[in-house]
Amino acid sequence: EVRSLHGWNKMSSPSAEMIPQSREKFVEARFHVEGMSCASCVSRVEKAIGQLPGVQSVSVNLATHEARASYQPDRVGIEDIKQSIVDLGYEAKEIAENSPAASSIQNQKSKIKNQKLIAAIILSVPVAILGLFDITFPGRDWLMLALTTPVVFWAGLPFFTGAWNALKHRSADMNTLIALGAGAAWFYSFLATATSALGAHLHTYYEAAALIVVTILIGRSLEERASRKTSDAIRKLLGRQAKMARVIRDGKERDIPSDAVLVGDVVVVRPGEKIPVDGVIAEGRSAIDESMVTGESLPVEKEPGDEVIGATINKTGSFRFRASRVGKDTVLQQNVRMVQEAQGSKAPIARLADVVSGWFVPIVMLLALATFVFWFWFASEPGLATALITSVSVL
């Protein structure tokens, strides 16, 4: 039509090669990133993806373990983005459009983590009581060693594997601090227990090692629980959508999947059925329960010319309506998309925290090293035990 208006024809119209691309096409992809544990991890993933050619923007959310990337598909592919995440030592899996961030696999992993947490708490309670109240009896330290070891190296194994993965990529994160703190406290206490048989009497810190691990595990469990609730809410929203729609094609009523409804199709809705897509009533009257969208508990009367919303429930009469919004454009799908965007977005203060966290871990490690050196060489009562205890306290 444009060429006709300007008097163009096939002979005079410019070829495709002569027309420059005025706008570059960007698409968005979502990934579930397994293995992130702190804001330092977020910074590393964002930096790795952001350095790829063709990536316009990237946002990584620690609470949902989700990464969003806007990119040019002709310059970089999905596999390239996934590989950049895997190269950092994390697992990456693409999330389908309009799917909750957490899948059944993540829910199963959370269940296993919670079982480990419960076991760790049960084992840590007697260790904490014995250590904090300094209760002594023959074999006390050996009992605390037996109770603390599975807490640190079984329930707390992800901290050590995370620290090792970070070390392999010449970086450090919160896992590094936790592994060093809990590991050093356990190792020192183990040496103290072993040398006690030789007559040495050194204080042990099993309760510190156990409580470091348990406290962090509780915090992460609460984070995952909050994220899972949001994902469950998205899943419930998607579950409200009608699976099938009755449309009129070639003069006959046909039952087809709701996803196959096209804009302009005439859809028939009977009493008690869900409305499959958004549209405008063409024939008939009814009362529709729109509480899912508006919160209004009373059914709303509808007549020809009124809009209807997909996933709401037809209560009384039957009617026909013409589909106006289908697929991703329906009100339901827009609500799902807004929740997902809110779930994956960051407040400005969160971005500031990401920047600070990039310096936090190395600064803490330097402070711990300086503390060790000071108490080992310059304190009024220098010694390995005091230096180790104080540096572990900093960590």
Side-chain angles (χ1 to χ4, degrees), residues 265-267 269 275-282 308 319-323:
D265 276 344
V266 176
V267 185
V269 183
I275 298 172
V277 296
D278 300 355
V280 179
I281 294 180
V308 291
F319 60 90
R320 297 182 179 186
F321 73 93
R322 192 170 299 278

Side-chain angles (χ1 to χ4, degrees), residues 76-89:
V76 64
I78 292 289
E79 293 302 321
D80 298 323
I81 298 176
K82 289 172 63 176
Q83 191 59 45
S84 69
I85 299 173
V86 173
D87 289 343
L88 296 176

Side-chain angles (χ1 to χ4, degrees), residues 300-318:
V300 180
E301 297 293 334
K302 298 287 185 177
E303 59 184 21
D306 290 340
E307 290 188 359
V308 291
I309 301 173
T312 56
I313 302 173
N314 181 32
K315 285 293 189 179
T316 55
S318 61

Side-chain angles (χ1 to χ4, degrees), residues 240-247 256-259 261 267-270 273-279 308-313 319 321 323 325-327 330 332-333:
R240 291 179 177 269
Q241 188 173 15
K243 301 295 186 293
M244 302 295 292
R246 187 177 296 107
V247 301
I256 63 173
S258 297
D259 296 338
V261 177
V267 185
V268 180
V269 183
R270 294 171 182 169
E273 295 181 341
K274 286 184 179 180
I275 298 172
V277 296
D278 300 355
V308 291
I309 301 173
T312 56
I313 302 173
F319 60 90
F321 73 93
R325 290 188 294 268
V326 300
T330 62
L332 176 67
Q333 294 291 351

